Amino acid sequence: MLTSGVAAAATTITIEGGGADIWDTTDAFHFYYDSTNGDFDVTVHNTELEWTDANAKTGLMVRETLDPDAKNVMLRRTPNGDASLQWRPESGVETLSTTSGGEDRSEVDGGSISAEWLRLTRTGDTISAYGSPDGGDWTRIAQLSGDDVDLPAQSYVGIPVTSHSEGTLCTARLRDLSGVSPNAHRDVGSVEVSGSVSVEEGVPYVSTEPVTDVRATSATLHGELTDLGGAESASCYFEYREVPTERWKQTDSRQRSSSGSFSMELSGLTSRRYYQVRAVVDTSDGDSFTSPPFTFGTPSFSRGDGGQWDGPQSKSHFEPDDGFADPAPWLNDDTPIIKITKPTRRQLETALNVDGPRVVVFETSGTIDLHAERLTVSTDQLYLAGQTAPSPGVTLIRGDLWVVANDCVIQHLRVRPGDAGQDIGWEPDGINTGDGTENNVIDHCTTTWSVDENLSVGYDTNDTTMSNCLVAEALRDATHHKGEHNYGSLIGNGAENVAMMGNLWADNIDRNPRLKEGTRSVVVNNLVFHFKDGAWLDPDTQASIEGNVYRHPINDKPKIFGDGEAYIHDNDLKSDAPGELVGDGITVLDERPLWPEGLDPLSSDDTVRHNFRNVGARPGDRTEHDERILRKVARGEGQYIDSQEDVGGYPELPENSHHVWVPQCNTRAWLRMWAWLVE
């Protein structure tokens, strides 16, 4: 631990930055900086960072030049409050970090710590990065030598901001900057919207402290007035709202003539909800400051363990817990419920990324336009219950859904990215579980019209289930930089314990599925229709492939091929279909190399009928596009498409609404009942 004194300062720096990222081989961001020569010791307090993306960033940076591909070191902070170190060792090469590629340089578990205060120092060729919750006790995150990155004595030091979202500005607010005096700012790299910097002197400052005494309908709010900004007195109060609503409500105020803490009792809350609260100070000379919000959840009235009844069985033979994943082991009767009341990206994105266990339900149906941007789940323990929406359910368009989190369940949702009217380089998936994630379930979802893959599992993942999904009509010649693509599902290198059960892959030329190197998976009772490549196994791959049905291949390639090892049993390929079932490169095993406990496969004779009845987001309430795909599969009428416009364009679903009553117990049974109603 390192201790450093902190001098009070009533100066706030506000930086707005755009750009795709500070990462890879080239950067795009806004930079507030000064040139420096030799050693430095820079400290700053990041009081706010807008959530434009899970990977939006601010922090402290030292940079060789202002070229976008320059070598640099950045102590970064993301919207979830985590601080870590990243660096580009040479100009134009891939960036490393203490969480990706440079883990051996980390001095903290996982490569990052929660920190509002950041400190970057240089002594000779050694650069050290620290984080602190209070600006007093510092923890060293990492230290780099000249062998890691050799920066010249003459360099640029300052504060960067990137939104990680093209065309969008991210706002960062910082205080207590010491050790450098920035005198210039500019955009670095290619940004669609120019950034800006403003510096305010003599402003008040208030922070929101953790909420205490949280009950089903009440809580105690706390704030800390640090600085009156030179005013004689100030009015302090709180604003609060239920997530994900936009309108803030205001508490009564407290008058103060000096700094210090203040608290208020808040009543009239709703049980099993998430709330945001933020402290506000209005000074007697007209200045005001609003702190970043603090999020807390209210419990139920009746604390329980989920009840004695688990709810009805799925109408499908395959339950979400039949694979290797344990669906939402964290779910209990206190887990907050977040209601989506309007089919907007803003509401859904806010709900998906609350930092805590949550069940997201829908009181509206409709089409949610993602506006040609990826929608990312970045925090663990999400249960996205699309089954709760009124008919005809919810469809995401013009973007993809990435689950870069653990212990998540995604159910009864449609994702249709399409070409979104974009140029070459627009390459969305449908749904993807991020690299290194674990214990995720994608069940009863529809994914169509991807440009890359429709539904995929990331690299080095563990315990992933993909069940009862309709994976169809990946776009063939759209906006992928490689040209024709049209792929179904990729299981990334090193993915362990992936279960694919009861799915339908239709009109995807390749990757039905592609099992990449080092994967361990089961492929059970899936129907593959109108394809070139079926199950493709890379070297060092093990799989149990059982009960699958292959219909209307377009070439004579073996349907299970590649270089891996597989137990292959009861797979159905019509005798008059071209090609063999198993390729020569496959090592056929005498017994299953892996298998989920309790999984009971169907006979291949039952696969087609079962999957027709059960695949997709809402088998009992299918939309026209899902019905159309199943009709052509039933008729043997394969069709590859280049754009969603080839089949009628994006859907415009009606925005129907209903009230979702939230129980105080038996949460899991309640969710299963909603699922049963649409299956």
Side-chain angles (χ1 to χ4, degrees):
M1 306 291 285
L2 182 72
T3 302
S4 174
V6 178
T11 300
T12 297
I13 302 167
T14 301
I15 305 175
E16 290 187 319
D21 202 0
I22 306 171
W23 190 248
D24 292 331
T25 61
T26 187
D27 305 324
F29 65 102
H30 199 75
F31 197 27
Y32 183 42
Y33 65 93
D34 191 11
S35 60
T36 187
N37 195 336
D39 296 349
F40 56 77
D41 185 345
V42 182
T43 300
V44 74
H45 181 193
N46 177 210
T47 60
E48 183 177 352
L49 179 60
E50 184 181 6
W51 201 103
T52 53
D53 185 272
N55 292 305
K57 299 171 187 173
T58 189
L60 294 170
M61 172 184 282
V62 54
R63 195 172 186 90
E64 181 179 32
T65 72
L66 300 178
D67 296 332
D69 65 347
K71 56 184 173 181
N72 67 84
V73 177
M74 178 182 178
L75 174 54
R76 64 188 182 187
R77 187 170 187 260
T78 50
N80 66 357
D82 286 348
S84 55
L85 189 67
Q86 67 176 63
W87 63 97
R88 181 175 295 125
E90 297 289 344
S91 298
V93 305
E94 291 287 342
T95 299
L96 306 173
S97 75
T98 51
T99 61
S100 178
E103 293 90 342
D104 60 333
R105 292 294 182 268
S106 176
E107 298 181 29
V108 295
D109 290 342
S112 65
I113 61 172
S114 179
E116 287 190 6
W117 290 76
L118 307 172
R119 185 178 185 184
L120 192 66
T121 71
R122 177 173 185 171
T123 304
D125 292 333
T126 301
I127 297 174
S128 303
Y130 304 86
S132 170
D134 56 12
D137 293 326
W138 295 90
T139 299
R140 192 165 75 185
I141 299 170
Q143 187 174 82
L144 303 178
S145 70
D147 293 333
D148 297 307
V149 54
D150 185 17
L151 289 169
Q154 189 72 37
S155 55
Y156 297 90
V157 176
I159 304 170
V161 176
T162 181
S163 66
H164 203 279
S165 178
E166 288 283 7
T168 301
L169 290 173
C170 174
T171 300
R173 290 187 172 88
L174 307 103
R175 292 169 58 90
D176 303 296
L177 177 64
S178 65
V180 65
S181 299
N183 54 28
H185 67 96
R186 57 168 286 181
D187 290 317
V188 175
S190 175
V191 297
E192 290 187 7
V193 184
S194 296
S196 64
V197 174
S198 63
V199 180
E200 296 179 274
E201 302 282 349
V203 295
Y205 182 72
V206 66
S207 61
T208 308
E209 302 302 308
V211 177
T212 62
D213 300 323
V214 180
R215 300 183 181 182
T217 60
S218 64
T220 302
L221 312 183
H222 303 278
E224 181 75 24
L225 178 61
T226 304
D227 199 321
L228 277 73
E232 292 184 357
S233 63
S235 175
C236 298
Y237 55 93
F238 296 96
E239 294 178 333
Y240 67 98
R241 64 184 179 186
E242 182 183 326
V243 175
T245 57
E246 296 184 32
R247 187 173 66 88
W248 292 90
K249 299 179 182 180
Q250 183 176 318
T251 67
D252 294 334
S253 61
R254 300 280 191 273
Q255 293 297 122
R256 298 196 62 90
S257 57
S258 62
S259 61
S261 61
F262 57 98
S263 301
M264 295 180 191
E265 298 295 322
L266 181 63
S267 60
L269 304 179
T270 302
S271 66
R272 302 198 69 180
R273 297 292 193 274
Y274 271 112
Y275 286 89
Q276 288 183 320
V277 58
R278 60 188 187 186
V280 183
V281 56
D282 295 331
T283 66
S284 57
D285 58 8
D287 288 330
S288 180
F289 182 83
T290 302
S291 67
F294 178 87
T295 303
F296 68 98
T298 55
S300 68
F301 283 104
S302 175
R303 294 174 180 260
D305 60 1
Q308 299 301 313
W309 184 51
D310 287 335
Q313 296 293 302
S314 173
K315 292 180 181 178
S316 169
H317 177 77
F318 298 106
E319 296 276 0
D321 60 359
D322 282 343
F324 295 104
D326 180 7
W330 44 267
L331 180 66
N332 60 41
D333 290 338
D334 282 332
T335 303
I337 309 294
I338 303 176
K339 293 185 174 184
I340 304 299
T341 58
K342 297 179 181 179
T344 65
R345 178 186 175 116
R346 192 209 67 81
Q347 275 207 14
L348 182 58
E349 187 167 37
T350 299
L352 295 187
N353 288 288
V354 168
D355 190 5
R358 68 271 188 214
V359 177
V360 177
V361 302
F362 294 85
E363 293 194 329
T364 181
S365 64
T367 301
I368 299 180
D369 190 339
L370 300 183
H371 304 293
E373 292 284 349
R374 174 168 295 158
L375 179 59
T376 303
V377 179
S378 60
T379 53
D380 299 343
Q381 300 181 332
L382 163 71
Y383 201 123
L384 179 60
Q387 62 263 38
T388 57
S391 180
V394 173
T395 298
L396 312 186
I397 64 168
R398 295 187 354 113
D400 51 3
L401 176 65
W402 279 54
V403 183
V404 190
N406 305 316
D407 293 317
C408 296
V409 177
I410 311 296
Q411 277 192 306
H412 300 284
L413 184 73
R414 307 179 198 95
V415 183
R416 308 191 194 276
D419 58 41
Q422 301 297 298
D423 298 324
I424 298 299
W426 165 250
E427 299 174 3
D429 290 342
I431 300 176
N432 185 297
T433 61
D435 297 349
T437 57
E438 60 184 27
N439 202 49
N440 288 317
V441 175
I442 313 297
D443 175 64
H444 276 102
C445 288
T446 294
T447 59
T448 65
W449 310 343
S450 69
V451 179
D452 203 352
E453 288 94 19
N454 268 321
L455 176 55
S456 290
V457 175
Y459 289 55
D460 298 315
T461 56
N462 197 34
D463 295 337
T464 308
T465 293
M466 178 198 306
S467 52
N468 306 303
C469 292
L470 176 57
V471 186
E473 292 186 337
L475 302 185
R476 184 171 188 178
D477 191 7
T479 54
H480 202 282
H481 75 282
K482 295 181 180 178
E484 290 189 358
H485 217 59
N486 187 229
Y487 293 162
S489 298
L490 182 145
I491 312 304
N493 290 25
E496 297 270 358
N497 293 343
V498 181
M500 290 160 275
M501 311 174 299
N503 305 293
L504 168 56
W505 283 287
D507 293 320
N508 311 299
I509 282 184
D510 198 351
R511 301 182 184 176
N512 296 291
R514 171 75 182 276
L515 310 177
K516 296 205 71 178
E517 187 169 355
T519 57
R520 305 289 182 265
S521 54
V522 297
V523 185
V524 180
N525 290 122
N526 301 286
L527 171 58
V528 184
F529 172 80
H530 193 218
F531 62 99
K532 182 182 74 175
D533 290 344
W536 179 358
L537 282 66
D538 277 2
D540 188 27
T541 299
Q542 290 186 333
S544 300
I545 303 177
E546 302 187 33
N548 301 286
V549 174
Y550 299 90
R551 292 289 184 265
H552 294 273
I554 64 172
N555 62 12
D556 59 2
K557 179 181 287 189
K559 309 309 171 279
I560 303 169
F561 71 100
D563 302 291
E565 300 178 348
Y567 175 77
I568 300 172
H569 174 71
D570 186 32
N571 296 282
D572 179 15
L573 175 66
K574 282 189 173 180
S575 59
D576 60 350
E580 300 294 327
L581 176 66
V582 183
D584 293 339
I586 298 296
T587 300
V588 179
L589 303 176
D590 294 331
E591 58 184 25
R592 295 165 173 165
L594 72 165
W595 194 257
E597 183 179 356
L599 174 59
D600 179 23
L602 293 168
S603 165
S604 63
D605 294 339
D606 298 324
T607 295
V608 173
R609 183 181 181 187
H610 172 273
N611 291 13
F612 264 77
R613 288 182 173 180
N614 294 287
V615 298
R618 298 166 74 98
D621 181 33
R622 287 185 171 129
T623 58
E624 171 54 30
H625 278 301
D626 280 17
E627 289 281 9
R628 175 184 56 78
I629 292 168
L630 288 167
R631 281 197 303 269
K632 68 179 182 177
V633 174
R635 296 169 182 167
E637 299 172 352
Q639 176 191 16
Y640 299 122
I641 65 173
D642 297 331
S643 169
Q644 68 281 349
E645 301 303 324
D646 296 345
V647 289
Y650 290 116
E652 296 182 5
L653 301 182
E655 296 182 15
N656 300 318
S657 61
H658 66 190
H659 174 69
V660 175
W661 170 81
V662 176
Q664 298 298 305
C665 61
N666 286 313
T667 302
R668 197 174 296 273
W670 176 71
L671 290 168
R672 290 172 72 102
M673 178 59 77
W674 277 108
W676 188 87
L677 291 172
V678 302
E679 292 175 6

